[in-house]
Amino acid sequence: MDIFVFFTLLAIGVHLLKKREQAQRIALLGSYLSQFQIEKLMQDVLSGYQRALGETSPERQAQVWRHLEPAEQTLCQQFNRFVLEFAKVAEPLARLSRLPLALPFVSQYFPASTLDLRKLLSVHAHGISQAAQNKPDQAPKSRAFTLSAELMLMQHSCHWFCRSRTVASARLLARHQTAYAQVLDAVAPSTRQAYLQLTGN
């Protein structure tokens, strides 16, 4: 067989296997997320922050911050419930590859090169909860900045699980015009430390 044809067929086979594995991951994560309104609440909170920051009147800005508090608390509660539910997933199914690009069977045959999404989600849950409860005490603008970063990093982890770290970083930049390194730098120090210990970045 011609070497070019062989590698072409091999590449097609790897691509199809990768797509099938990614579809299974998307379906698994989606089956848990569909029980909640996390994505909608996240969009409401982030767009609310933009609205608050766009207000020139301090009184009006303070009103918008107060208006967002129930949505923040509901988001926090729902995400914590989601993490508890996802913790029931078997460990082999919750693995995600540390490699920058997605390759099939990495989590199955090379578990040492993976990490556990369940543990990563627990880190995010703690970070989001602390930011939502304003611990440590911060001014509304700083608090919104921290909570936004916590939410974006959590979303990055979900996309990483479904696709790859490279795709997750590209989506983060496209959706929020923010680089992965910037988000990681903006989360709470405790989140960043726990996250880096798990991911090995």
Side-chain angles (χ1 to χ4, degrees), residues 71-81 125 128-130 132-133:
E72 292 170 342
Q73 295 305 317
T74 302
L75 172 58
C76 182
Q77 292 164 6
Q78 289 208 11
F79 188 73
N80 284 334
R81 285 168 51 203
I128 292 168
S129 294
Q130 292 293 100
Q133 295 168 20

Side-chain angles (χ1 to χ4, degrees), residues 13-135:
V14 169
H15 177 73
L16 292 175
L17 289 170
K18 180 187 73 173
K19 284 292 185 184
R20 186 177 69 178
E21 191 173 272
Q22 288 178 343
Q24 291 171 342
R25 289 172 176 272
I26 292 168
L28 174 64
L29 190 61
S31 67
Y32 285 88
L33 285 172
S34 64
Q35 304 172 41
F36 307 97
Q37 294 183 308
I38 293 169
E39 187 171 358
K40 179 184 182 302
L41 287 164
M42 180 177 168
Q43 290 303 319
D44 290 346
V45 167
L46 293 178
S47 62
Y49 289 162
Q50 292 296 320
R51 189 167 65 253
L53 293 171
E55 292 289 343
T56 55
S57 165
E59 294 78 12
R60 176 59 183 160
Q61 192 175 75
Q63 185 180 10
V64 176
W65 291 130
R66 287 193 300 271
H67 177 74
L68 287 169
E69 288 177 5
E72 292 170 342
Q73 295 305 317
T74 302
L75 172 58
C76 182
Q77 292 164 6
Q78 289 208 11
F79 188 73
N80 284 334
R81 285 168 51 203
F82 157 70
V83 171
L84 288 174
E85 287 298 314
F86 195 82
K88 300 173 185 176
V89 172
E91 188 270 337
L93 297 177
R95 293 174 188 158
L96 67 155
S97 173
R98 298 176 194 269
L99 301 177
L101 299 176
L103 292 173
F105 305 124
V106 168
S107 61
Q108 184 176 351
Y109 295 112
F110 303 98
S113 66
T114 66
L115 60 115
D116 192 335
L117 179 63
R118 299 171 304 174
K119 294 180 180 178
L120 201 53
L121 290 175
S122 292
V123 169
H124 293 312
H126 182 265
I128 292 168
S129 294
Q130 292 293 100
Q133 295 168 20
N134 203 21
K135 296 179 180 178

Side-chain angles (χ1 to χ4, degrees), residues 165-178:
R165 188 173 64 193
T166 300
V167 170
S169 297
R171 286 188 174 183
L172 179 64
L173 188 60
R175 287 190 178 190
H176 303 291
Q177 291 74 54
T178 308

Side-chain angles (χ1 to χ4, degrees), residues 182-194:
Q182 290 177 297
V183 169
L184 192 56
D185 189 55
V187 296
S190 58
T191 299
R192 184 165 53 253
Q193 181 181 3

